[in-house]
Amino acid sequence: QKEVEQNSGPLSVPEGAIASLNCTYSDRGSQSFFWYRQYSGKSPELIMFIYSNGDKEDGRFTAQLNKASQYVSLLIRDSQPSDSATYLCAVNKGRGFQKLVFGTGTRLLVSP
Amino acid sequence: EPEVTQTPSHQVTQMGQEVILRCVPISNHLYFYWYRQILGQKVEFLVSFYNNEISEKSEIFDDQFSVERPDGSNFTLKIRSTKLEDSAMYFCASRREAEAFFGQGTRLTVV
């Protein structure tokens, strides 16, 4: 079982729609969960992180965490073509929970 | 806004040669990392560094790899004898609290 699993996509949504990106993780002891955006050939760019069950909102982005189901998601409201990228889910692990373990990412395509 | 900077942006080297990848983390950050991403694959953890020593390393980080923080600002990754399979994007990251911020990466091509 992979430590962090994501559907590779692509997930295609029209401009203005809500994009829903999902991630599951295997280690119940994981405490912090991160969403990064990565444009092709570029570095991961932090969108937001969450560590408590429930929702966390930041602008057009909402992260949702359900530790019982070992599931974390990212909603992007009012999707824009500039949101087209690969979205990486990452979990904090290791001693002192220092390192990030990444999923393979979900490619999002927002069409005008 | 403070950012992690990496040099060079692209490095081409011959197999068996030594390379040093350089990073300047964000100045008040305490934890430093190297990750790599082989083309088309996921971002993989290599090593974490805290309080002037390695705090954790992955199986990838074998004896050919080393890290240093030679002064108060730079953080380097050395690969002693590069192999073809070391070709990848190498990302430096730093954090102070929960969030880790990544540099723009060094694309290493081993020929």
Side-chain angles (χ1 to χ4, degrees), chain B residues 70-105:
Chain B
D71 53 41
S73 59
N74 292 286
F75 180 51
T76 62
L77 174 69
K78 182 194 288 187
I79 309 175
R80 287 190 186 80
S81 178
T82 50
K83 308 185 198 64
L84 294 176
E85 54 265 37
D86 293 328
S87 295
M89 280 287 282
Y90 287 80
F91 296 112
C92 175
S94 71
R95 71 176 178 96
R96 180 173 178 83
E97 296 179 354
E99 308 103 301
F101 296 92
F102 284 71
Q104 80 277 22

Side-chain angles (χ1 to χ4, degrees), chain A residues 60-82:
Chain A
R60 295 188 297 114
F61 300 97
T62 299
Q64 299 174 316
L65 175 61
N66 183 327
K67 289 187 178 180
S69 300
Q70 295 175 243
Y71 177 90
V72 59
S73 64
L74 180 71
L75 300 179
I76 306 174
R77 287 181 299 282
D78 189 24
S79 296
Q80 300 297 309
S82 58

Side-chain angles (χ1 to χ4, degrees), chain A residues 2-3 25-31 33 70 91 93 97:
Chain A
K2 292 180 184 175
E3 291 184 278
Y25 59 95
S26 61
D27 185 352
R28 284 195 173 275
S30 301
Q31 295 186 352
F33 308 87
Q70 295 175 243
V91 173
K93 290 200 66 173
F97 297 94

